[in-house]
Amino acid sequence: MQKAKHKIKRLILLFWGISPFCLIMLSSTGIYAQHYVGVKGSQGFNSVSSLPDFDKRALKTFSPGILYRYEHKKYAALQVEMNYINKGYIKMIDTISMTPETTYRIASFELPLMAQGFIRFGMFRPYVTGGVFVGYVLDRNVQVTGEESQKYVFDEYDRRFEYGITGGGGLGIEIYRFEIQAECRYHYNFSFLRNPSTPENRGNRYINSTQLMFSVSLLYRLSK
């Protein structure tokens, strides 16, 4: 029953993310295109969605990236990013199993493809954004409180390929040919960190990465 509910939740989130993305993308072509390139930095509040659940708290991280935006002059844009994502979660003390607080850090390479709908008010450009992303886990580390960080050794049950949806909103401020873009975005991974059923865990456990990201980007307009 829990597995079925989890699949339904994933399908609803996928539909929510892809539908507006496709509609905006189809309407964002035109002869008045503007092309931007830029860099970004993101402050992330990272955790996991788990079933069954366990006590955890958010892990704060910083992640850099670069981006390209194709903008329709009137109301819509497409944005492609290449991000080095630092994420993870903190598992709280478990008094039943007598396990200490443990921090799990994950480094991933991600490629988001975003659609943006916006309205211009002079130099200001408030917008909403949504899309999909794929990624690959590069590295993982585990640190028990009070001990040194240990490199995680991947095995056949780890899932390093990632995919999910993301969405949020922000504000762009245009200054000459530059734009400063401040944004809040939520990421949800449909992919699991590990195979739900493993020899050490005969029951099913679903763990998906989640992120709330606050970012600032600096973009340069290539076209006049």
Side-chain angles (χ1 to χ4, degrees):
M1 186 66 178
Q2 288 182 331
K3 185 176 181 180
K5 289 182 178 179
H6 195 74
K7 287 184 176 180
I8 292 173
K9 179 182 177 182
R10 291 173 62 192
L11 289 173
I12 292 173
L13 289 171
L14 182 62
F15 179 80
W16 174 86
I18 291 178
S19 295
F21 167 76
C22 292
L23 290 174
I24 296 175
M25 183 178 67
L26 290 173
S27 62
S28 64
T29 58
I31 61 174
Y32 299 105
Q34 301 285 352
H35 303 272
Y36 294 76
V37 293
V39 295
K40 67 179 295 185
S42 302
Q43 174 72 59
F45 296 85
N46 310 275
S47 189
V48 289
S49 174
S50 58
L51 187 67
D53 201 5
F54 57 86
D55 289 334
K56 55 188 177 296
R57 60 187 176 90
L59 175 66
K60 296 181 183 179
T61 60
F62 175 80
S63 301
I66 60 176
L67 56 91
Y68 162 78
R69 190 171 85 240
Y70 169 87
E71 181 181 298
H72 189 281
K73 189 175 181 180
K74 294 183 178 179
Y75 56 84
L78 291 177
Q79 185 163 297
V80 182
E81 302 174 4
M82 292 189 293
N83 299 324
Y84 181 83
I85 299 294
N86 292 299
K87 57 184 179 180
Y89 62 99
I90 301 174
K91 187 175 182 180
M92 303 295 287
I93 297 172
D94 190 332
T95 55
I96 297 177
S97 61
M98 300 299 292
T99 55
E101 181 177 282
T102 306
T103 301
Y104 297 85
R105 298 182 184 274
I106 303 168
S108 299
F109 175 73
E110 287 186 2
L111 292 171
L113 175 60
M114 312 292 297
Q116 293 181 359
F118 61 85
I119 301 175
R120 288 198 178 276
F121 297 98
M123 63 187 295
F124 298 101
R125 185 181 67 90
Y127 66 88
V128 294
T129 186
V132 296
F133 66 89
V134 295
Y136 185 78
V137 176
L138 301 171
D139 192 28
R140 290 177 63 175
N141 289 280
V142 181
Q143 183 176 18
V144 176
T145 300
E147 299 181 8
E148 292 186 0
S149 178
Q150 302 293 323
K151 190 174 182 63
Y152 181 85
V153 179
F154 292 96
D155 62 32
E156 60 183 309
Y157 300 102
D158 289 305
R159 296 187 175 181
R160 303 180 71 171
F161 175 73
E162 300 182 306
Y163 59 95
I165 59 172
T166 180
L171 175 67
I173 303 174
E174 190 174 36
I175 304 174
Y176 184 51
R177 295 179 68 168
F178 292 91
E179 181 175 295
I180 300 172
Q181 183 173 289
E183 183 180 281
C184 175
R185 188 188 298 179
Y186 181 76
H187 295 239
Y188 184 88
N189 279 53
F190 287 135
S191 51
F192 303 123
L193 291 177
R194 277 178 68 81
N195 191 317
S197 183
T198 60
E200 71 272 13
N201 176 35
R202 298 187 183 278
N204 292 331
R205 168 164 283 183
Y206 304 91
I207 302 179
N208 309 74
S209 295
T210 64
Q211 295 173 285
L212 180 62
M213 307 287 286
F214 295 91
S215 66
V216 176
S217 305
L218 177 63
L219 299 99
Y220 179 76
R221 188 176 74 247
L222 299 177
S223 49
K224 294 183 180 180

